[in-house]
Amino acid sequence: MIRKSSSRRRLAPAAIPLTLLLLLAADPAFAAEGAADDTAAAESVAGEGPQAAYGNEIVVTARRRSETAQDVPIAISVVGGDQIDSTGSFNVGRLQQLAPTLQFYTSNPRNSAVNIRGIGAPFGLTNDGIEQGVGIYVDDVYYSRVASATFDFLDVAQIEVLRGPQGTLYGKNTTAGAINITTNQPTFDFEGKAELSIGDLNFKQAKAAISGPLSDRLAARIAVSATSRRGTIYNVTTDRWIQSQDNIGLRGQLLWKPTDTLSITLVGDWNKQDAVCCGSVFVRTGATQRPLARQYAALAAAQGYIVPSTNPYDRLTDLDANLNAGNEIGGVALRVKWDVGPGTLTSITAWRYWDWQPENDRDFTGLPIVTKSQNPSQQNQYTQELRYNVSGDRVDFVLGGFAFHQRIDTQGTEAHGAASSRWTLNPTSALANDPTVLDGLTARNTQYLKNTSLALFGQLSWKITDRLTIQPGARINYDKKDGYYQRLVFAGDGSPVTRALTDPVSVARLGVFAPQEYAPSFSDWNFSYDLTATYKAARGMLAYATYAKTFKSGGINQNGVPTDGAGNPLLGAATIRPEAVDHYEAGLKTEYWNGKGTFNLAIFRTDIGDYQANVNNGQFGVLRGYLANADKVRTQGIEADVAIRPSERFNAYVNGAYTDARYRRFVDAPCPPELSGGTNSPANCDISGARLPGVSKWALSFGAEANVPASLFGQEGQIYLGYDGSYRSNFSSNASPSIYTWVDGYSLSNIRVGFRAERRLDVFVWVRNAFDRDYIDQLFVGPGNTGLITGLPGDPRTWGGTIKFGF
């Protein structure tokens, strides 16, 4: 494993306030004292960091109605817009440093996964044929593509990260949790804000928003954001920096309030990325069960190939294929809220599109082995959600309906080059010395997916007494998916390669790319439910317990399936069964010290049957990867969130999570590299008991901010010093844990110093990864079972400055 400098010992002091506050929260007298003055409460929520406004409650809409975060019987982290700006958490990838139970991995925008508590989406290549287990919502609109998570947050007021199943409250069923993003809304008072940041690596970021009335009943808001940064990896072949950032976003809103009981909001947004992305660097090699002549060292030596550096933190690569990550997302939504009868009727109608234009180097080397790998996609989605919310003295309820339709079209091209024959074919074969055998070999893939989902859902809160509330919820869901996959194969001269050809050259080509065609289909009804009991033991102390029986919709394999001995697709692998989920959770939310402190605790266990796992094939083009059902998976753990704000001059927080996420039974999993590639290697491996990929057992976020009164530029305000740190322990970076793909734990520190004057001015300088820790975001197993392991180094230390002003 790569050795990294680590600051684990630095974390010990952070455990002191956690232990102290645990003792304080357990003292009833102290809790009673803290309940004496609600008007002075500074309700920091689990996960809320230094930007919570002192003396103000944090209001969330997690249960589709406005209420304080401490009254919600859900494990929830809340991050405000000011904290997003000050900590540089301008997308989901950076947000995970503030929310320990959130995991985000990406090798490019399409191959991105957002998980909560270790579950949500399978780790590895994205397959369009399944659902994501973590729902992403922006102003109530469901975003079906995880690629949207790679964009900059635009004019965000607040982000709520909800842990655990949310299917009885949210339109799309989500088994792991939801990310609920609320943007700033149009106002009838004129206001505006602007922000400019510059830093090293040619970092530039600009944001602006303006809002105000167009008439007595009509208001508008428009926001824009642009981010650019030089890449962090230098490509010696193309003389370019890769892994750059080049994002632009635009969001416009019109609010019409014809009456005091009716509001209609029309929203349009457009976001585009045009980065030089995405690549990786050499990390190490490991022995596989392939013959030595077919492992990386021998293959590279046979072609005189030497990587530019064997130290991944030199950040050098030599990828020779074109790299591109063109990514465009946008849409239009109409939101209607009407106070009718005893409640509020809400309608959200939305259309969204996604256009993905990638180019990759899939052999991970500077040799022309795979010269082209691209799977451009175009998606359109339509959603309609209706909800009726009623709040009463004893009974609250939400009743909703949701309709979703999605179409994705993909056109893939993969081609091999002049170095492929010697690298891919057995060196003992005469064909391995003939570059024309595989040079120009091309597979053209055509696929589409039609995905329809309909649901009725609801949740009731019955206040049996002033202390005890029972909250049942239910959902009935129908899903239907129809797909098509075709792969045609052509030799370098353009002639088709079919399974009917039996000459040695054609057989060699078919071992790399095999034609395939099938049309999978899946449909199913599901019923799910949950029950939560909430008990207010005292003012400022809420306990809750939840059981949820839910599901994750079945799906279809859209990237190809295994074949039988005759080369025919195994249609039994074309569909994937739904996940069956049993979720148990208990939690405690407390306030003390006159509301100046909070301590929240959650204990959970989730059992999943027929877990949808990603299975990877080791060859270059026979199969990129497909999904299969693992028998049983379990994730369980404990989460603690502490925040204190003794005065307007100081605040601090510590959030921690222990997560034990494992395959309980997976007897036919893909084998790790060290057990693959040989003629006698097992076809499958039993990885029962192994940890799920991407999940750290321990994850922490912690920070503090202190300020003193000061004046600058003739304005009264504060000079402040802020620190935000995070730590995560090691995790596996392969679907089947391998001795070669464990990523060591690491900690990161971000520091900022500045001056703020209310909402009018904020000027600060910042350093991120202040101690320049070397760490790896993700490791990748090279194709072909050669033993090559590449990786993506995390960002080095960066620094810069930001100025924000409002009016």
Side-chain angles (χ1 to χ4, degrees):
M1 285 189 278
I2 299 173
R3 299 295 179 190
K4 305 178 184 64
S5 53
S6 174
S7 59
R8 295 186 186 187
R9 287 174 292 179
R10 298 175 182 267
L11 300 177
I16 296 174
L18 176 60
T19 305
L20 175 63
L21 292 173
L22 279 168
L23 295 173
L24 295 177
D27 185 344
F30 199 91
E33 178 185 348
D37 187 6
D38 281 344
T39 59
E43 292 192 25
S44 284
V45 69
E48 178 65 1
Q51 295 303 314
Y54 174 76
N56 291 336
E57 297 178 341
I58 296 174
V59 177
V60 299
T61 57
R63 294 196 294 176
R64 298 309 196 187
R65 56 182 180 267
S66 296
E67 52 193 333
T68 63
Q70 290 297 105
D71 289 333
V72 178
I74 299 173
I76 180 174
S77 301
V78 181
V79 182
D82 287 343
Q83 188 182 7
I84 291 170
D85 293 339
S86 63
T87 59
S89 305
F90 53 82
N91 58 31
V92 173
R94 291 176 178 265
L95 183 64
Q96 68 176 339
Q97 293 184 24
L98 300 176
T101 57
L102 181 70
Q103 298 101 28
F104 178 75
Y105 303 99
T106 179
S107 57
N108 60 48
R110 181 178 186 270
N111 291 319
S112 300
V114 180
N115 286 346
I116 292 176
R117 294 172 169 171
I119 57 176
F123 191 89
L125 291 172
T126 298
N127 195 311
D128 293 327
I130 66 161
E131 311 290 345
Q132 58 191 60
V134 176
I136 300 174
Y137 296 85
V138 179
D139 291 339
D140 289 343
V141 176
Y142 173 69
Y143 282 39
S144 64
R145 296 302 313 189
V146 180
S148 61
T150 66
F151 283 102
D152 296 351
F153 296 139
L154 182 58
D155 198 23
V156 167
Q158 183 168 280
I159 297 176
E160 303 163 13
V161 180
L162 285 64
R163 285 111 71 181
Q166 306 297 325
T168 63
L169 276 173
Y170 282 72
K172 200 74 173 71
N173 190 53
T174 53
T175 56
I179 300 174
N180 188 24
I181 301 172
T182 303
T183 69
N184 293 304
Q185 299 299 298
T187 60
F188 285 93
D189 294 321
F190 184 73
E191 66 177 35
K193 62 179 182 178
E195 176 183 330
L196 178 64
S197 299
I198 58 173
D200 66 334
L201 305 183
N202 296 324
F203 175 74
K204 296 181 286 292
Q205 186 176 72
K207 301 178 182 179
I210 190 168
S211 179
L214 301 180
S215 70
D216 292 341
R217 294 291 181 179
L218 186 66
R221 186 179 190 94
I222 188 168
V224 64
S225 172
T227 303
S228 64
R229 193 187 75 172
R230 194 205 74 191
T232 55
I233 297 175
Y234 182 69
N235 190 331
V236 300
T237 299
T238 61
D239 191 27
R240 299 182 71 184
W241 290 93
I242 65 172
Q243 308 302 109
S244 64
Q245 296 176 0
D246 189 358
N247 305 340
I248 187 168
L250 180 67
R251 185 178 185 86
Q253 302 183 71
L254 281 174
L255 169 62
W256 181 39
K257 296 195 69 173
T259 70
D260 291 339
T261 60
L262 176 64
S263 65
I264 301 172
T265 306
L266 178 65
V267 184
D269 70 279
W270 174 81
N271 302 269
K272 184 175 176 60
Q273 292 178 323
D274 192 17
V276 181
C277 182
C278 297
S280 59
V281 300
F282 178 95
V283 174
R284 63 170 70 93
T285 60
T288 72
Q289 295 192 4
R290 256 192 165 196
L292 290 178
R294 302 195 69 186
Q295 296 195 36
Y296 176 84
L299 293 171
Q303 302 202 42
Y305 174 67
I306 300 175
V307 295
S309 174
T310 57
N311 180 359
Y313 303 114
D314 286 341
R315 302 176 186 274
L316 297 176
T317 191
D318 60 351
L319 302 179
D320 60 326
N322 289 336
L323 300 179
N324 188 27
N327 196 17
E328 184 176 327
I329 290 179
V332 178
L334 181 68
R335 185 172 65 252
V336 179
K337 300 188 73 172
W338 183 23
D339 295 333
V340 55
T344 300
L345 179 66
T346 303
S347 170
I348 306 103
T349 307
W351 162 75
R352 298 204 60 75
Y353 77 94
W354 178 58
D355 190 4
W356 168 232
Q357 297 291 333
E359 292 182 283
N360 302 295
D361 191 329
R362 202 164 168 259
D363 60 54
F364 300 161
T365 74
L367 292 170
I369 302 168
V370 178
T371 56
K372 182 177 291 187
S373 178
Q374 56 191 47
N375 281 275
S377 296
Q378 306 83 42
Q379 177 203 285
N380 283 275
Q381 75 164 56
Y382 303 86
T383 56
Q384 173 62 60
E385 184 170 351
L386 286 171
R387 293 195 310 268
Y388 190 61
N389 298 48
V390 173
S391 295
D393 293 335
R394 288 295 179 186
V395 175
D396 301 337
F397 73 83
V398 178
L399 183 64
F402 181 73
F404 168 83
H405 181 73
Q406 172 191 48
R407 165 112 189 193
I408 303 177
D409 290 279
T410 303
Q411 312 82 35
T413 304
E414 295 185 58
H416 279 232
S420 183
S421 294
R422 181 172 291 185
W423 190 275
T424 308
L425 303 179
N426 192 326
T428 62
S429 168
L431 298 178
N433 295 316
D434 183 356
T436 64
V437 173
L438 298 184
D439 190 14
L441 180 68
T442 301
R444 300 191 185 280
N445 306 328
T446 301
Q447 55 184 286
Y448 70 76
L449 168 71
K450 293 186 289 186
N451 182 5
T452 300
S453 181
L454 303 172
L456 293 174
F457 59 92
Q459 192 176 91
L460 174 73
S461 293
W462 177 26
K463 303 178 184 71
I464 298 176
T465 70
D466 290 340
R467 292 177 179 267
L468 179 63
T469 300
I470 300 296
Q471 181 178 287
R475 179 187 185 93
I476 186 169
N477 208 96
Y478 173 74
D479 288 287
K480 180 174 176 57
K481 296 180 175 71
D482 294 300
Y484 174 75
Y485 178 84
Q486 180 193 62
R487 178 171 53 210
L488 301 176
V489 182
F490 302 91
D493 61 4
S495 61
V497 180
T498 68
R499 285 196 295 266
L501 299 174
T502 59
D503 60 283
V505 171
S506 296
V507 170
R509 290 168 175 167
L510 289 169
V512 177
F513 290 135
Q516 190 173 110
E517 184 174 10
Y518 65 100
S521 181
F522 171 89
S523 64
D524 195 17
W525 288 88
N526 293 97
F527 176 72
S528 57
Y529 56 90
D530 55 42
L531 179 64
T532 299
T534 304
Y535 184 70
K536 292 187 176 181
R539 296 186 66 182
M541 180 177 292
L542 179 146
Y544 66 91
T546 297
Y547 169 72
K549 177 71 173 179
T550 185
F551 72 97
K552 181 178 174 183
S553 172
I556 57 178
N557 269 305
Q558 282 293 103
N559 295 339
V561 294
T563 57
D564 60 19
N568 299 310
L570 294 173
L571 298 182
T575 59
I576 309 100
R577 294 186 299 275
E579 292 182 354
V581 180
D582 289 281
H583 175 76
Y584 311 85
E585 184 163 340
L588 180 69
K589 294 190 172 185
T590 64
E591 299 174 81
Y592 51 88
W593 201 359
N594 293 334
K596 299 173 183 177
T598 60
F599 166 69
N600 296 337
L601 185 72
I603 303 172
F604 68 91
R605 171 171 169 163
T606 304
D607 292 304
I608 304 176
D610 285 328
Y611 177 79
Q612 295 168 355
N614 203 42
V615 176
N616 295 312
N617 185 285
Q619 297 189 35
F620 282 104
V622 175
L623 199 62
R624 287 174 58 84
Y626 66 101
L627 293 162
N629 292 106
D631 288 345
K632 295 179 181 179
V633 159
R634 182 188 66 201
T635 177
Q636 58 186 2
I638 184 169
E639 301 158 350
D641 305 295
V642 179
I644 58 170
R645 185 178 290 271
S647 73
E648 295 183 1
R649 302 295 168 218
F650 179 78
N651 62 75
Y653 67 96
V654 179
N655 305 326
Y658 169 79
T659 306
D660 179 24
R662 296 183 179 274
Y663 298 105
R664 292 191 64 196
R665 178 177 167 82
F666 195 5
V667 298
D668 55 353
C671 292
E674 59 268 29
L675 297 178
S676 302
T679 56
N680 296 318
S681 297
N684 301 291
C685 287
D686 184 350
I687 61 171
S688 302
R691 201 191 309 175
L692 289 180
V695 185
S696 297
K697 279 191 174 182
W698 296 97
L700 292 171
S701 63
F702 42 91
E705 183 179 292
N707 67 76
V708 295
S711 60
L712 185 67
F713 306 128
Q715 297 193 53
E716 297 298 320
Q718 309 160 353
I719 292 177
Y720 62 90
L721 170 66
Y723 169 86
D724 295 281
S726 63
Y727 166 77
R728 63 179 307 182
S729 61
N730 71 341
F731 62 92
S732 169
S733 193
N734 195 50
S736 295
S738 166
I739 58 176
Y740 306 133
T741 58
W742 282 96
V743 174
D744 290 340
Y746 58 88
S747 66
L748 300 175
S749 296
N750 303 327
I751 301 171
R752 60 188 180 279
V753 180
F755 171 84
R756 74 166 67 96
E758 298 299 332
R759 288 182 169 272
R760 295 185 177 276
L761 179 67
D762 191 356
V763 183
F764 60 97
V765 294
W766 43 264
V767 182
R768 294 165 189 150
N769 188 7
F771 301 110
D772 201 21
R773 301 299 185 193
D774 289 334
Y775 67 100
I776 293 289
D777 274 332
Q778 193 174 348
L779 293 173
F780 311 103
V781 177
N785 292 314
T786 67
L788 173 63
I789 306 295
T790 66
L792 184 60
D795 282 356
R797 176 171 53 216
T798 58
W799 52 266
T802 298
I803 180 169
K804 301 162 53 180
F805 59 90
F807 52 87

